[in-house]
Amino acid sequence: MNARKLTEAAMLSALFVVTSMMAIYTGIAYTLYLDMIVPLFICLTYMRLGSKYTLLSSITSLLIVTLAVGDIASAIWMSQGIIMGLICGYFIRKKGTIFDDFLYSSILGCFVMVLIDIYFSKLTGYSFMKEFDSYIVLFPLNEEYMDIVFSIFVATIPISTILVAYIGALFIGKKLNILNENTNEKYMIISNFKKYGAYICCSKKTYIFGITYLILYEVLRLTGFEFNFVYFKTVVMAIRVVIIYFILKDSLSFVIKGLSLKFKSKEMSQIIWLLLIYMLLTNFKFTFIILVIASLAINYFMKLREMQISMLDNVLIKR
């Protein structure tokens, strides 16, 4: 074992234990700490020490806090933040596009949240999924719409957690001088978002993966396949929401850019954007399919995705 990293892991573990016990005992920013600060702290530790020592530090800290405080519910909730931080730390250090990191981290985050909810409900009797079901009667919507609303609710939590931990870790990591080559490139893009934000996109492999998932989901639904286990159904639908969001954002961006280059008119691109937004609001599913097909065609003939990814790589190399 690396003695320096082991020492740093022990020091960070001690700091994590102290701050965690303060948050649990005092209740000050309790929810904020467990949902946002814990993933951010673990992500920074991962960026500094790597997977092995971060995992060792996390498990040690969690055991100490659990034994010292005796609050099993808080420990389970904290374990969610730790796992989310490990996921974020893995992808943030990995070579890849920022949207790929967000997408895959959010998908794994959906699994983590539902799994933690299962154990949390068994210990405390409280489940945010069951709590949501109790509010269904207050809204005059059919079951299908309520399932969609619930899936969006479940999906937004891991997305927001990953977003805060990811961006926060990049900026804090820059101040602490713990960024490696990959994380430094991602920091440059995020810190210059106004300049490079329009060129951020999913990789072709990730885009195809997302479309494949959505097609398989629709095929299963049309064949009458039912997910009997409610938690598994929740995960599947939440992942569907996450994928739809990233695929839609990617597709809309490329369609507008492709048509703008074709017509070479800023006014025309604004009209197209407004028209597409209106179509999404009035007939989402049909418009979504049209956008995906159009995006695939545009990228096949114009290679915009490859050009954008290559352009970002070239800019970062020059820097």
Side-chain angles (χ1 to χ4, degrees):
M1 283 193 174
N2 188 307
R4 181 184 63 81
K5 286 190 175 183
L6 191 61
T7 304
E8 288 184 10
M11 293 174 64
L12 290 171
S13 181
L15 177 61
F16 185 49
V17 168
V18 171
T19 54
S20 298
M21 291 179 68
M22 285 178 61
I24 294 171
Y25 274 128
T26 63
I28 299 173
Y30 176 75
T31 302
L32 177 66
Y33 178 81
L34 294 179
D35 280 340
M36 299 297 177
I37 306 301
V38 170
L40 176 58
F41 187 93
I42 297 299
C43 185
L44 287 167
T45 305
Y46 195 109
M47 291 165 64
R48 174 66 179 174
L49 303 176
S51 58
K52 183 170 69 173
Y53 293 99
T54 302
L55 189 60
L56 178 63
S57 174
S58 300
I59 293 173
T60 304
S61 302
L62 186 62
L63 288 173
I64 293 172
V65 171
T66 304
L67 294 173
V69 178
D71 188 346
I72 304 298
S74 293
I76 293 175
W77 195 352
M78 187 184 297
S79 67
Q80 173 181 300
I82 289 173
I83 297 172
M84 296 287 272
L86 290 170
I87 292 170
C88 189
Y90 170 76
F91 283 104
I92 203 171
R93 284 178 48 134
K94 186 174 176 287
K95 180 70 174 177
T97 71
I98 292 173
F99 270 10
D100 283 7
D101 294 347
F102 285 158
L103 176 61
Y104 293 127
S105 297
S106 298
I107 288 173
L108 291 174
C110 290
F111 279 103
V112 172
M113 282 203 57
V114 173
L115 182 65
I116 294 300
D117 185 73
I118 294 173
Y119 287 103
F120 194 81
S121 62
K122 286 182 179 179
L123 284 172
T124 65
Y126 174 81
S127 167
F128 76 87
M129 294 185 187
K130 294 177 182 177
E131 182 74 11
F132 185 87
D133 288 338
S134 65
Y135 293 110
I136 290 179
V137 295
L138 301 177
F139 300 94
L141 297 174
N142 61 38
E143 186 177 349
E144 183 180 357
Y145 284 125
M146 289 309 299
D147 285 341
I148 293 172
V149 172
F150 180 56
S151 300
I152 293 172
F153 167 71
V154 174
T156 52
I157 299 175
I159 289 176
S160 59
T161 301
I162 292 297
L163 191 65
V164 171
Y166 193 99
I167 296 175
L170 286 176
F171 280 91
I172 297 173
K174 183 65 176 179
K175 295 290 184 183
L176 297 175
N177 197 29
I178 59 173
L179 301 184
N180 63 10
E181 183 180 351
N182 294 333
T183 50
N184 194 56
E185 289 178 357
K186 292 170 183 177
Y187 168 79
M188 294 301 299
I189 295 172
I190 294 294
S191 60
N192 295 279
F193 188 79
K194 288 184 179 180
K195 190 175 182 180
Y196 303 124
Y199 302 102
I200 301 174
C201 62
C202 295
S203 65
K204 183 179 179 180
K205 183 179 177 181
T206 298
Y207 190 81
I208 297 300
F209 162 76
I211 294 172
T212 304
Y213 181 92
L214 296 177
I215 292 172
L216 287 174
Y217 178 89
E218 289 300 320
V219 169
L220 289 175
R221 191 179 66 83
L222 291 172
T223 56
F225 183 83
E226 292 277 340
F227 295 104
N228 295 321
F229 186 41
V230 64
Y231 288 105
F232 185 70
K233 179 182 177 182
T234 302
V235 170
V236 169
M237 292 187 67
I239 291 173
R240 177 173 173 260
V241 170
V242 171
I243 290 176
I244 285 175
Y245 170 75
F246 284 98
I247 295 296
L248 176 61
K249 193 177 187 309
D250 233 36
S251 301
L252 187 62
S253 173
F254 283 119
V255 168
I256 293 173
K257 286 175 186 174
L259 294 176
S260 297
L261 291 172
K262 179 71 174 177
F263 293 107
K264 296 180 180 179
S265 171
K266 188 176 181 180
E267 291 76 15
M268 181 60 71
S269 65
Q270 291 175 341
I271 293 171
I272 293 170
W273 184 84
L274 290 172
L275 178 62
L276 289 173
I277 295 300
Y278 173 77
M279 290 174 65
L280 284 168
L281 292 172
T282 54
N283 193 335
F284 181 86
K285 190 171 184 179
F286 174 76
T287 308
F288 179 80
I289 294 171
I290 294 298
L291 284 171
V292 169
I293 295 172
S295 176
L296 288 170
I298 287 170
N299 279 294
Y300 179 78
F301 291 106
M302 302 178 72
K303 309 294 183 185
L304 289 182
R305 188 184 306 278
E306 290 81 357
M307 287 170 60
Q308 288 189 184
I309 295 174
S310 177
M311 191 210 72
L312 284 177
D313 288 340
N314 291 333
V315 168
L316 293 171
I317 289 171
K318 289 179 182 179
R319 282 179 171 270

